[in-house]
Amino acid sequence: MNTTANPAGTPLEILIVEDSPTQSQQLQHILEQQGFHVMAAANGRLAIEAAQGRKPALIISDVIMPEMDGYELCRHVKSDPSLADIPLILVTTLSDPQDVIRGLECRADNFILKPY
């Protein structure tokens, strides 16, 4: 079974939320090489708009971003009944244990440290 496709056989869609164009393109390339379809947003506010317009199978978000950071994005996604079931992974260079705790408090499904 191809795990990068949904039951209809089309590629699963992943939303990347990253304010660095270079890092966004790098992650997009990695995921597309594995057969995923990728959407990108430069901050949490744009990510919410994208997710509401076309619900992704997964959101991978940076933590530190302008306008709306990854923690706030995660809280918003997890409190929205139409988006709450989307797994959300926070990715950051932060390494303080308190940062991981904040990720868990906003109900992130996983927390990955950069570089990945």
Side-chain angles (χ1 to χ4, degrees):
M1 180 176 173
N2 182 353
T3 59
T4 63
N6 65 29
T10 58
L12 289 175
E13 193 153 36
I14 297 176
L15 174 58
I16 296 171
V17 190
E18 172 64 65
D19 61 321
S20 164
T22 303
Q23 290 183 26
S24 179
Q25 289 171 355
Q26 179 185 25
L27 183 53
Q28 181 171 349
H29 176 75
I30 290 168
L31 294 169
E32 287 175 344
Q33 291 297 309
Q34 297 301 313
F36 295 100
H37 181 266
V38 179
M39 298 185 298
N43 62 53
R45 183 186 54 77
L46 295 172
I48 291 167
E49 291 174 14
Q52 289 172 334
R54 189 164 166 172
K55 188 175 177 180
L58 172 67
I59 298 172
I60 301 174
S61 178
D62 189 14
V63 169
I64 309 230
M65 297 178 293
E67 288 194 53
M68 180 187 290
D69 68 18
Y71 298 126
E72 189 176 345
L73 168 63
C74 188
R75 281 189 290 276
H76 184 89
V77 167
K78 295 302 182 178
S79 67
D80 182 330
S82 68
L83 303 176
D85 62 332
I86 301 172
L88 195 146
I89 299 172
L90 293 174
V91 181
T92 188
T93 57
L94 302 173
S95 58
D96 186 319
Q98 188 62 35
D99 297 320
V100 176
I101 291 169
R102 284 185 68 197
L104 296 173
E105 287 174 345
C106 69
R107 299 176 32 214
D109 293 282
N110 208 331
F111 198 95
I112 298 173
L113 298 179
K114 291 179 186 177
Y116 37 81

